[in-house]
């Protein structure tokens, strides 16, 4: 299990899976998730799990800090090699 991910890796995984349904792939908006990915990567670098970092930042960026259906994150985790084993 990789404990660190680059901003680019996280952004690419978010772009490919588009968990927030922003239609970034359809619109060729390759940098759609770059800022979110930067915050996630920072949390991971500080020792937070990838899953926790994704949950926290997606919640902050898209749901004003509120809970959301976390199953949206499973495809992202799988692309990054952190899916359920």
């Amino acid at each position: 299990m990789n404990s660190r991910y680059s901003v680019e890796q996280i952004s690419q995984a978010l772009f490919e899976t588009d968990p927030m349904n922003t239609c970034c792939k359809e619109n060729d908006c390759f940098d759609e998730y770059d800022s979110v990915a930067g915050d996630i990567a920072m949390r991971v670098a500080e020792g937070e799990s990838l899953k926790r970092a994704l949950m926290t930042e997606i919640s902050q960026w898209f749901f004003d800090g509120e809970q959301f259906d976390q199953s949206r994150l499973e495809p992202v985790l799988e692309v990054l090699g952190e899916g359920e084993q």
Side-chain angles (χ1 to χ4, degrees):
M1 176 181 351
N2 190 352
S3 63
R4 297 215 172 179
Y5 298 91
S6 71
V7 173
E8 294 80 13
Q9 287 173 308
I10 296 168
S11 183
Q12 182 66 31
L14 290 167
F15 172 79
E16 290 296 327
T17 60
D18 194 18
M20 297 297 101
N21 299 314
T22 65
C23 295
C24 56
K25 282 182 85 168
E26 294 81 358
N27 295 317
D28 294 328
C29 190
F30 300 105
D31 63 351
E32 180 79 17
Y33 289 103
D34 283 357
S35 296
V36 179
D39 290 347
I40 293 167
M42 185 171 46
R43 287 180 174 278
V44 171
E46 292 172 352
E48 197 165 312
S49 74
L50 177 62
K51 185 173 184 175
R52 170 60 53 199
L54 277 165
M55 288 187 303
T56 300
E57 292 303 330
I58 294 293
S59 174
Q60 292 297 320
W61 278 88
F62 295 95
F63 298 99
D64 294 324
E66 299 295 321
Q67 293 290 324
F68 66 98
D69 179 6
Q70 296 172 7
S71 67
R72 294 173 175 240
L73 303 180
E74 290 305 318
V76 181
L77 291 166
E78 288 197 21
V79 166
L80 291 168
E82 296 275 337
E84 297 287 327
Q85 308 280 332

